[in-house]
């Protein structure tokens, strides 16, 4: 019985145990990292940070007068597209703002369009910016939350 | 004491291993930290790109001549930071809330860089500096301008990259009065009041205007030599009052030798590019190797076409990709690719290379087939080659193993022990001549075929074979006593096999007994008589030899051995006489 428990018959050496432990930690760490990275890439990045974190930095002004909607980008985040949330009596709908510049509205650029027919009997519109970033799968757009939109009471 | 010291040293050795462990642990922890940091960094909010608070400009003066539809603005940097230029927008209706009309397209100088009035690609508009911009609105179709709005811009360093920043907080607005002149600290005047005109260079020098009875500043009269844009380029006058005379003025289309100016494109890889005046004309802009007229390199993190959009942000990189457009080899398998060359699903798995089947004998050695699988010319390929597993040398191969034929058969069937079989291999490889082995194989192969058909005869053969292995062990010095039957076989049998062996040409004895085997040499052209030997050592003939020897053995193994060798000798003599006859 004692022979079976003698020091000569103990398990693997500490070095091998340590190496195995490190290898397992690295492998598991990599798997977890790649999984999380995949999630991040789904959302995409812009200017080196998650694209949704750029929404608070978007700075634009808009006005609606005589059926003409005017938008000017005063900030430093290009606005790739613009969603138009139209509020009518008891309902609302969200559409793309048509004829938006193909390359987006860059810094200092402005946009004007007659949208009278589009908003019809609306009493309020909210302009919600859509940004574009890059992800592992290529180009990725992201629609900012409504709180970053621009509200115009008509 | 010495033993204590040894123990101490041993413990030290163990400590070294732990140190290595720690080093590995710390290294891997650092590497993982860096990787995780890079990822998590994208989730950390950073401050938005904004100009410093001290950025400020104001419209020092403007003059707007409704008649000639010309707007002149003198902008002063009254802030604490250098600037690069500005955005300018205007309204053309009094009730227009937002200034959305871009006036940069109408500036008479070449400072318009894609919607921005850019004096330079560096922040050279220093605090205290003034810049005059003249906008020609004649053919703009805008009508009367009611107000302008100016936002300064500058280049800022952000995380090691130079970025173009719009200073929205420093926006200035100015109501524009048609025919009016606004000077610093207001724009009203008193009748008869005199002031210098906005333009004071060239032919405009010392020009003045007098406040009208309506208490408005009239348009300046700069004289007959004044030109809104310098078109007279040989009168040695600065006609448009911009400080440049004749060919010095870019309006004249010529330039001063070796003068440089910024190229039209000033974003992305074109940033800072300049053109030089050579022989009175501006050289073509060289935007460098990374420049592309249309962005086609969409993965280099560069704005190659200098439109302000990098890679995937650029619409040029947007292409409709057709799935499953074609397929080709990748990493040993066939994969589908879309029309944008992006790899999709695996179309066909070509498998991995490796051995297939079991060992077999070929050319007296042990071989096994190796299948090489891969992908070539867009399809899976495979090729099989035999690879030698074991070289049997003189002893030859049997049943996929090195060893003599009958003993291998008996060993594979479990009749011979490992030790007995090993003795056969050892003796065979050291004491059998190549000829003796070839002759033995000629006899043994049909013999094994008979054994397989009639397993009952194994009972008669097995004592003999065991006797041979016993004698072999004795002759190899592995046993103290020999065996009489074994000795008889080795002494008399081996010479007989040698006599047959010299007649056989084919070194691969297995081929010799292949049903489709034909010696390529005619027996009349060769001194070797493979086919003849094969025809004598038929299964029927050997069976006949065996049963004849058995019948005459009277139950004695030694007599049976003797009879068998006698019958074998007769066949050998017959073969030899036939060979002599033919020869």
């Amino acid at each position: 019985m004692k022979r079976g428990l003698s020091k000569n018959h103990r398990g693997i050496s500490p070095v091998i145990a340590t190496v195995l432990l490190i290898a397992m930690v690295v492998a598991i760490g990599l798997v977890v990292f790649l999984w999380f990275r995949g999630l991040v890439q789904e959302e995409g990045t812009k200017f080196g940070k998650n694209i949704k974190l750029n929404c608070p930095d978007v700075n634009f002004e808009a006005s609606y007068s005589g059926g003409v909607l005017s938008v000017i980008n005063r900030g430093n985040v290009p606005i790739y597209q613009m969603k138009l949330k139209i509020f009518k009596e008891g309902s609302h709908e969200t559409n793309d703002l048509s004829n938006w510049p193909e390359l987006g509205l860059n810094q200092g650029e402005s946009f004007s369009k007659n949208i009278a027919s589009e908003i019809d009997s609306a009493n309020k519109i909210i302009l919600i910016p859509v940004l574009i970033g890059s992800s592992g799968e290529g180009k990725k757009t992201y629609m900012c939350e409504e709180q970053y939109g621009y509200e115009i009471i008509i | 004491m010495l033993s204590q010291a040894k123990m101490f040293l041993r413990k030290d050795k163990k400590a070294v291993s732990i140190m290595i462990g720690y080093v590995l642990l710390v290294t891997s922890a650092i590497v993982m930290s860096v990787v995780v940091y890079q990822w998590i960094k994208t989730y950390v909010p950073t401050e938005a790109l904004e100009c410093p608070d001290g950025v400020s400009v104001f419209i020092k003066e403007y003059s707007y001549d409704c008649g000639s539809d010309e707007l002149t603005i003198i902008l002063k940097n009254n802030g604490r930071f250098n600037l690069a230029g500005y955005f300018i927008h205007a309204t053309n209706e009094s009730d227009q809330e937002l200034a959305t009309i871009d006036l940069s397209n109408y500036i008479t100088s070449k400072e318009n860089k894609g919607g921005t009035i850019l004096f330079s690609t560096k922040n050279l508009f220093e605090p205290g500096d003034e810049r005059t911009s003249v906008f020609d609105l004649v053919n703009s179709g805008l009508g009367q301008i009611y107000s302008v709005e100016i936002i300064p811009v500058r280049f800022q360093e952000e995380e090691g990259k130079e970025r173009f920043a719009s200073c929205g907080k420093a926006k200035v607005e100015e109501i524009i009065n048609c025919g009016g002149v606004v000077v610093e600290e207001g724009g009203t005047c008193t009748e008869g009041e005199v002031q210098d005109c906005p333009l004071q260079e060239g032919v405009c020098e010392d020009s003045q205007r007098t406040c009208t009875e309506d208490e408005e500043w009239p348009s300046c009269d700069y004289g007959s030599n004044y030109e809104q844009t310098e078109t007279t380029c040989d009168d040695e006058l600065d006609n448009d009052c911009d400080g440049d005379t004749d060919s010095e003025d870019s309006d004249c289309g010529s330039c001063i030798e070796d003068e440089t100016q910024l190229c039209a494109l000033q974003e992305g890889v074109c940033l800072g590019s300049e053109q030089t005046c050579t022989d009175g004309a501006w050289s073509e802009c060289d935007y460098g190797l990374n420049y592309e007229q249309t962005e086609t390199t969409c993965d280099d993190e560069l704005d190659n076409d200098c439109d302000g959009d990098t890679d995937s942000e650029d619409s040029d990189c947007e292409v409709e990709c057709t799935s499953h457009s074609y397929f080709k080899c990748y990493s040993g398998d066939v994969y589908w690719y879309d029309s944008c060359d992006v790899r999709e699903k695996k179309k066909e798995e070509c498998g991995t290379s490796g051995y297939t089947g079991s060992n077999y004998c070929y050319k007296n050695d042990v071989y096994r087939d190796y299948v090489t699988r891969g992908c070539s010319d867009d399809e899976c390929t495979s090729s099989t080659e035999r690879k030698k597993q074991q070289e049997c040398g003189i002893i030859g191969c049997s049943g996929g193993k090195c060893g003599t034929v009958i003993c291998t058969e008996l060993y594979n069937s479990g009749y011979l022990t490992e030790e007995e079989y090993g003795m056969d291999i050892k003796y065979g490889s050291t004491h059998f001549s190549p000829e003796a082995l070839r002759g033995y194989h000629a006899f043994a192969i049909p013999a094994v075929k008979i054994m397989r058909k009639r397993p009952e005869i194994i009972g008669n053969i097995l004592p003999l074979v065991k006797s041979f292995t016993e004698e072999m062990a004795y002759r190899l010095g592995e046993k103290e006593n020999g065996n009489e039957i074994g000795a008889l076989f080795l002494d008399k049998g081996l010479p007989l096999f040698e006599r047959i062996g010299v007649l056989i040409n084919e070194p691969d004895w297995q081929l010799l007994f292949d049903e489709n085997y034909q010696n390529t040499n005619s027996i009349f052209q060769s001194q070797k008589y493979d086919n003849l030997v094969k025809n004598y050592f038929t299964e029927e003939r050997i069976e006949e030899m065996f049963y004849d020897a058995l019948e005459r053995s009277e139950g004695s193994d030694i007599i049976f051995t003797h009879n068998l060798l006698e019958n074998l000798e007769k066949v050998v003599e017959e073969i030899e006489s036939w060979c002599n006859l033919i020869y």
Side-chain angles (χ1 to χ4, degrees):
Chain A
M1 190 65 181
K2 275 184 179 178
R3 289 185 74 184
L5 293 171
S6 71
K7 285 182 179 177
N8 287 337
H9 290 82
R10 59 188 177 178
I12 53 175
S13 82
V15 175
I16 294 169
T18 309
V19 169
L20 283 173
L21 191 65
I22 291 164
M24 282 192 293
V25 168
V26 170
I28 293 168
L30 268 176
V31 169
V32 172
F33 166 72
L34 289 173
W35 174 57
F36 269 111
R37 191 162 158 259
L39 291 180
V40 174
Q41 282 181 340
E42 283 298 307
E43 290 179 342
T45 57
K46 187 175 185 69
F47 300 140
K49 60 184 176 185
N50 191 295
I51 192 166
K52 66 164 70 166
L53 297 179
N54 285 281
C55 290
D57 303 339
V58 175
N59 178 9
F60 69 100
E61 270 186 65
S63 70
Y64 180 76
S65 175
V68 176
L69 174 73
S70 299
V71 181
I72 184 163
N73 187 352
R74 299 212 185 280
N76 288 300
V77 181
I79 303 168
Y80 184 63
Q81 283 170 349
M82 189 68 89
K83 294 277 184 187
L84 188 62
K85 190 169 185 179
I86 305 163
F87 291 81
K88 295 177 181 172
E89 280 299 322
S91 69
H92 66 77
E93 57 180 298
T94 306
N95 303 320
D96 281 333
L97 188 55
S98 55
N99 294 338
W100 191 256
E102 196 183 345
L103 301 176
L105 198 68
N106 293 319
Q107 295 144 295
E109 288 183 348
S110 59
F111 169 83
S112 291
K113 191 194 172 218
N114 192 319
I115 58 165
S117 59
E118 290 179 46
I119 61 173
D120 199 15
S121 57
N123 49 34
K124 184 175 83 171
I125 56 170
I126 297 179
L127 296 163
I128 305 168
V130 176
L131 308 183
I132 190 166
S134 49
S135 74
E137 296 165 1
K139 198 179 74 174
K140 202 97 182 172
T141 57
Y142 176 79
M143 181 176 155
C144 291
E145 291 170 25
E146 200 171 309
Q147 59 173 310
Y148 302 113
Y150 193 97
E151 187 179 290
I152 299 173
I153 305 293
I154 296 167
Chain B
M1 191 65 179
L2 189 62
S3 62
Q4 275 181 346
K6 277 181 181 173
M7 278 183 75
F8 180 74
L9 285 172
R10 251 183 235 151
K11 279 183 181 174
D12 269 353
K13 279 185 179 176
K14 202 185 277 182
V16 171
S17 301
I18 291 166
M19 278 299 288
I20 293 167
Y22 275 127
V23 169
L24 286 169
L25 194 64
V26 169
T27 309
S28 59
I30 290 169
V31 169
M32 285 184 67
S33 303
V34 169
V35 171
V36 171
Y37 167 75
Q38 289 295 336
W39 161 69
I40 220 161
K41 195 173 67 170
T42 65
Y43 265 129
V44 178
T46 52
E47 282 189 20
L49 179 68
E50 277 188 359
C51 298
D53 282 341
V55 168
S56 176
V57 291
F58 84 111
I59 300 171
K60 184 185 175 189
E61 288 182 28
Y62 83 84
S63 70
Y64 182 43
D65 186 341
C66 290
S68 62
D69 250 355
E70 183 184 271
L71 174 66
T72 303
I73 290 176
I74 299 174
L75 194 69
K76 184 171 183 176
N77 182 352
N78 64 337
R80 291 184 287 115
F81 293 92
N82 286 16
L83 301 170
Y86 61 91
F87 293 124
I88 180 164
H89 293 92
T91 60
N92 60 353
E93 287 177 24
S94 56
D95 59 346
Q96 192 177 341
E97 291 176 31
L98 215 55
T100 53
I101 300 166
D102 185 5
L103 294 187
S104 63
N105 295 324
Y106 309 110
I107 194 166
T108 54
S109 65
K110 292 183 177 177
E111 289 163 339
N112 174 25
K113 303 286 186 268
T116 315
I117 309 297
L118 209 59
F119 304 129
S120 161
T121 53
K122 293 187 173 69
N123 298 325
L124 297 179
F125 184 21
E126 295 177 353
D129 277 3
E130 292 176 13
R131 299 287 169 129
T132 302
S133 302
V134 180
F135 300 89
D136 178 9
L137 305 171
V138 174
N139 298 314
S140 65
L142 296 174
Q144 189 179 336
I145 298 298
Y146 281 93
S147 68
V148 292
E149 179 186 291
I150 288 175
I151 298 174
V153 296
R154 66 192 306 270
F155 293 99
Q156 286 195 181
E157 191 94 358
E158 193 189 61
E159 292 181 356
K161 289 181 181 173
E162 192 169 60
R163 286 190 59 193
F164 179 67
S166 164
C167 308
K169 287 180 181 172
K171 179 181 75 175
V172 290
E173 289 171 294
E174 190 74 62
I175 304 295
I176 303 291
N177 295 312
C178 185
V181 176
V182 176
V183 294
E184 199 171 355
E185 307 297 341
T188 56
C189 59
T190 313
E191 187 182 354
E193 189 183 351
V194 179
Q195 71 160 200
D196 287 345
C197 286
L199 301 179
Q200 286 296 323
E201 291 191 75
V203 298
C204 306
E205 191 175 2
D206 298 331
S207 59
Q208 290 186 322
R209 54 186 166 185
T210 309
C211 191
T212 63
E213 57 185 14
D214 298 331
E215 297 187 336
E216 284 184 355
W217 290 111
S219 298
C220 280
D221 179 7
Y222 294 120
S224 58
N225 286 323
Y226 174 72
E227 293 169 352
Q228 197 174 317
T229 304
E230 185 132 345
T231 51
T232 310
C233 300
D234 56 358
D235 59 356
E236 297 183 0
L237 293 174
D238 171 14
N239 305 79
D240 58 358
C241 310
D242 63 354
D244 296 326
T245 303
D246 294 347
S247 60
E248 289 175 3
D249 197 320
S250 57
D251 296 336
C252 287
S254 56
C255 51
I256 301 167
E257 199 67 12
D258 295 331
E259 189 186 4
T260 57
Q261 71 168 20
L262 291 170
C263 290
L265 299 177
Q266 284 299 327
E267 293 198 66
V269 299
C270 307
L271 190 69
S273 57
E274 292 182 335
Q275 53 189 164
T276 310
C277 184
T278 310
D279 296 333
W282 291 108
S283 63
E284 279 194 19
C285 282
D286 179 9
Y287 294 122
L289 292 173
N290 290 320
Y291 174 70
E292 294 167 354
Q293 204 164 352
T294 303
E295 184 129 347
T296 51
T297 309
C298 299
D299 58 355
D300 59 355
E301 297 183 1
L302 293 174
D303 171 14
N304 305 79
D305 58 357
C306 310
D307 63 352
D309 295 323
T310 302
D311 294 348
S312 58
E313 289 174 2
D314 196 319
S315 61
D316 296 337
C317 290
E318 286 180 46
V319 282
E320 286 287 327
C321 302
T322 311
S323 181
H324 284 44
S325 178
Y326 66 99
F327 53 83
K328 66 175 182 180
C329 294
Y330 175 76
S331 191
D333 293 316
V334 185
Y335 278 81
W336 282 109
Y337 281 75
D338 67 15
S339 55
C340 304
D341 298 332
V342 175
R343 193 173 68 252
E344 298 178 302
K345 284 183 179 175
K346 192 181 285 183
K347 178 179 181 286
E348 190 179 352
E349 187 156 324
C350 298
T352 52
S353 301
Y355 284 102
T356 181
S358 52
N359 288 355
Y360 61 88
C361 294
Y362 178 73
K363 300 270 186 193
N364 282 344
D365 290 318
V366 180
Y367 280 82
R368 196 175 174 195
D369 286 339
Y370 186 86
V371 182
T372 305
R373 295 185 179 90
C375 190
S376 176
D377 293 337
D378 310 335
E379 59 181 24
C380 288
T381 56
S382 73
S383 62
T384 306
E385 60 173 332
R386 57 167 60 93
K387 284 195 173 181
K388 191 184 281 186
Q389 303 296 304
Q390 192 179 358
E391 195 154 346
C392 298
I394 195 169
I395 193 170
C397 177
S398 175
K401 293 177 179 175
C402 292
T404 52
V405 185
I406 295 174
C407 286
T408 303
E409 176 72 9
L410 291 173
Y411 171 71
N412 286 343
S413 308
Y415 292 108
L416 285 186
T417 65
E418 188 85 37
E419 191 184 357
E420 288 166 335
Y421 184 55
M423 221 40 73
D424 174 63
I425 293 173
K426 196 172 178 183
Y427 190 85
S429 59
T430 52
H431 289 72
F432 278 33
S433 67
E435 291 77 18
L437 269 173
R438 286 213 291 275
Y440 164 74
H441 288 148
F443 165 79
I445 286 178
V448 166
K449 286 180 181 175
I450 299 165
M451 283 160 59
R452 287 178 184 171
K453 282 181 187 168
R454 299 171 182 273
E456 67 273 11
I457 67 169
I458 291 175
N460 299 104
I461 293 173
L462 192 58
L464 268 62
V465 175
K466 284 190 177 280
S467 303
F468 304 154
T469 57
E470 211 174 303
E471 178 62 19
M472 287 172 187
Y474 168 70
R475 294 190 182 192
L476 287 167
E478 306 272 340
K479 272 196 165 187
E480 285 187 7
N481 300 314
N483 184 291
E484 191 183 358
I485 298 169
L488 176 63
F489 176 79
L490 291 177
D491 293 340
K492 197 174 176 186
L494 278 187
L496 288 173
F497 289 134
E498 259 179 17
R499 283 163 66 184
I500 301 166
V502 296
L503 300 171
I504 298 170
N505 186 42
E506 177 60 60
D508 185 357
W509 49 270
Q510 290 217 346
L511 282 180
L512 194 63
F513 289 90
D514 187 325
E515 286 179 5
N516 300 317
Y517 174 79
Q518 284 296 320
N519 193 340
T520 50
N521 295 319
S522 162
I523 56 171
F524 296 105
Q525 293 172 338
S526 168
Q527 292 184 15
K528 311 299 178 186
Y529 307 102
D530 301 1
N531 291 332
L532 187 71
V533 172
K534 181 184 171 183
N535 291 336
Y536 265 94
F537 282 111
T538 60
E539 289 177 43
E540 293 77 22
R541 188 68 190 264
I542 288 172
E543 203 172 350
E544 193 183 303
M545 285 163 55
F546 175 79
Y547 282 111
D548 176 69
L550 192 63
E551 276 176 21
R552 295 189 288 117
S553 66
E554 300 166 5
S556 163
D557 285 341
I558 193 160
I559 296 171
F560 172 61
T561 307
H562 187 79
N563 292 343
L564 196 60
L565 291 171
E566 196 177 77
N567 290 344
L568 181 64
E569 191 171 12
K570 282 179 191 170
V571 176
V572 172
E573 282 171 358
E574 274 184 57
I575 294 170
E576 284 176 336
S577 65
W578 262 108
C579 289
N580 289 333
L581 188 65
I582 292 167
Y583 183 67

